[in-house]
């Protein structure tokens, strides 16, 4: 028997309820049930897509997997270690293995910092990386996303939306992570630029053996890059499978709605 490999990421029965401000003096405060028991795995070197409509709980999954928020219950394991049980110091060290790319390439880059500082920022949390080495590694990371060393001393406003998202990807790459969680990474970009950024992410996956947890409201985006797709609806995974399986044999009505949107889009 071959031993089963520990998954890179294992999410089990993840629940997140948000308490809202109390409307009445008596009685329990109302809650938003953002996630209601979500389970999935990402094997090393593979990529999983999470697709669902706005408000379905996608960003909540991303925040819990990045340890930016705590679950109401359930577990997130990175290479078998319970993420939400790590101490602050352990978490800081663990962070080199998983990085995040956000949707908004404007808001997620500090406009007052140079590209060199922005891209090197995840190294700050790791001990003993000199300024000189930070700069060298930032230059390498920029090269990997198709930007130039001369871009190091520029500021975010000097770049287009697609280039800014390349800078955000360079920042995520700099610690050589095993997993990149990308929450709507191309949603703010023009359609033509979306394909370029997705192709870059695909190249990087092959080059560095990165896994993505790719989150999008757009089924076409996740099927471009992912081996497996999970469809979330109201805080639950209602369907999952390879892109081929979903395209050929969608069972859930919501998946069919998503498919309808893809098949009607120009270019399909
Ligand atoms: P998505 O990313 O799929 O659009 P989210 O994960 O952002 O969805 O949100 C899921 C649900 O949880 C939504 O109903 C949203 O309003 C709610 N929600 C998210 N964050 C909070 C919060 N901090 N407080 C209260 N409700 C929240
Ligand atoms: Mg979201």
């Amino acid at each position: 028997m071959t031993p089963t490999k520990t998954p890179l990421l294992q999410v089990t029965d993840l629940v997140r309820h948000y308490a809202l401000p109390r409307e009445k003096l008596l009685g329990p405060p109302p809650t938003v049930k953002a996630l209601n028991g979500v389970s999935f795995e990402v094997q090393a070197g593979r990529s999983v897509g999470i697709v669902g409509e706005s408000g379905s709980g996608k960003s909540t999954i991303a925040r819990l997997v990045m340890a930016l928020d705590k679950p109401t219950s359930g577990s997130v394991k990175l290479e078998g270690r319970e993420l939400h049980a790590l101490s602050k110091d352990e978490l800081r060290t663990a962070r080199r293995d998983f990085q995040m790319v956000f949707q908004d390439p404007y808001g997620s880059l500090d406009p007052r910092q140079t590209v060199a500082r922005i891209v090197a920022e995840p190294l700050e949390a790791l001990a003993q990386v000199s300024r000189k080495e930070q700069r060298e590694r930032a230059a390498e990371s920029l090269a990997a996303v198709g930007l130039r060393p001369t871009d190091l001393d520029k500021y975010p406003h000097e770049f287009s939306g697609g280039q800014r998202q390349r800078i955000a990807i360079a920042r995520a790459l700099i610690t050589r992570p095993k997993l990149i969680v990308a929450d709507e990474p191309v949603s703010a970009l023009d359609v033509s630029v979306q394909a370029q950024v997705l192709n870059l992410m695909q190249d990087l996956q092959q080059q560095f053996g990165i896994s993505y947890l790719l989150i999008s409201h757009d089924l076409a985006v996740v099927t471009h890059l992912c081996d497996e797709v999970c469809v979330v609806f109201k805080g639950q995974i209602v369907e999952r499978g390879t892109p081929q399986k979903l395209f050929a044999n969608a069972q859930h009505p919501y998946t069919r709605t998503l498919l309808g949107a893809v098949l009607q889009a120009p270019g399909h």
Side-chain angles (χ1 to χ4, degrees), residues 101-245:
V101 174
F102 295 91
Q103 168 172 359
D104 177 7
Y106 304 92
S108 67
L109 306 180
D110 185 340
R112 293 156 306 179
Q113 302 270 10
T114 62
V115 169
R117 292 300 297 278
I118 290 170
V119 172
E121 188 265 333
L123 295 176
E124 299 270 346
L126 304 172
Q128 307 302 330
V129 182
S130 69
R131 268 292 148 79
K132 182 163 173 284
E133 191 186 340
Q134 286 188 14
R135 198 177 162 87
E136 284 164 11
R137 288 180 58 180
E140 279 171 27
S141 244
L142 281 189
V145 301
L147 294 173
R148 286 188 289 261
T150 49
D151 292 327
L152 282 172
D153 297 312
K154 295 183 185 166
Y155 289 85
H157 73 264
E158 299 177 62
F159 296 89
S160 68
Q163 288 171 325
R164 287 185 217 212
Q165 209 53 324
R166 285 174 193 265
I167 294 169
I169 293 168
R171 172 172 60 186
L173 276 181
I174 199 162
T175 60
R176 291 289 152 89
K178 296 171 183 167
L179 177 72
I180 292 181
V181 177
D183 189 1
E184 305 272 12
V186 297
S187 303
L189 305 176
D190 292 344
V191 173
S192 59
V193 182
Q194 288 190 0
Q196 293 167 13
V197 172
L198 289 172
N199 287 336
L200 167 69
M201 288 174 69
Q202 198 164 29
D203 290 347
L204 296 172
Q205 174 169 37
Q206 281 156 12
Q207 202 178 335
F208 299 111
I210 296 167
S211 291
Y212 292 110
L213 180 62
L214 176 60
I215 294 174
S216 178
H217 65 281
D218 183 344
L219 187 61
V221 166
V222 296
T223 54
H224 193 101
L225 214 70
C226 295
D227 309 294
E228 192 191 0
V229 177
C230 299
V231 179
V232 289
F233 186 66
K234 296 188 175 162
Q236 284 183 310
I237 294 177
V238 293
E239 186 150 17
R240 68 180 84 205
T242 61
Q244 294 79 354
K245 182 191 146 202

Side-chain angles (χ1 to χ4, degrees), residues 54-55 57-60 63 103 183-184 215:
S54 173
K58 304 182 300 296
S59 294
T60 303
R63 284 197 299 274
Q103 168 172 359
D183 189 1
E184 305 272 12
I215 294 174

Side-chain angles (χ1 to χ4, degrees), residues 5-27:
K5 264 179 128 182
T6 307
L8 176 60
L9 174 68
Q10 185 168 35
V11 170
T12 312
D13 290 334
L14 208 56
V15 173
R16 181 65 167 101
H17 294 172
Y18 295 104
L20 295 179
R22 203 181 288 264
E23 284 166 350
K24 296 183 198 139
L25 202 56
L26 299 172

Side-chain angles (χ1 to χ4, degrees), residues 36-111:
N36 299 303
V38 162
S39 303
F40 63 90
E41 287 180 4
V42 182
Q43 297 293 340
R46 313 274 293 171
S47 290
V48 171
I50 304 277
V51 65
E53 64 189 348
S54 173
S56 57
K58 304 182 300 296
S59 294
T60 303
I61 295 174
R63 284 197 299 274
L64 294 173
V65 166
M66 290 302 299
L68 301 173
D69 183 23
K70 290 238 177 240
T72 304
S73 64
S75 127
V76 177
K77 286 186 179 167
L78 275 171
E79 296 185 313
R81 288 208 303 172
E82 179 57 52
L83 183 68
H84 292 279
L86 297 183
S87 69
K88 263 195 174 159
D89 279 351
E90 289 169 330
L91 188 59
R92 195 177 316 123
T93 318
R95 281 214 185 276
R96 88 176 67 194
D97 290 335
F98 61 111
Q99 295 287 342
M100 180 139 180
V101 174
F102 295 91
Q103 168 172 359
D104 177 7
Y106 304 92
S108 67
L109 306 180
D110 185 340

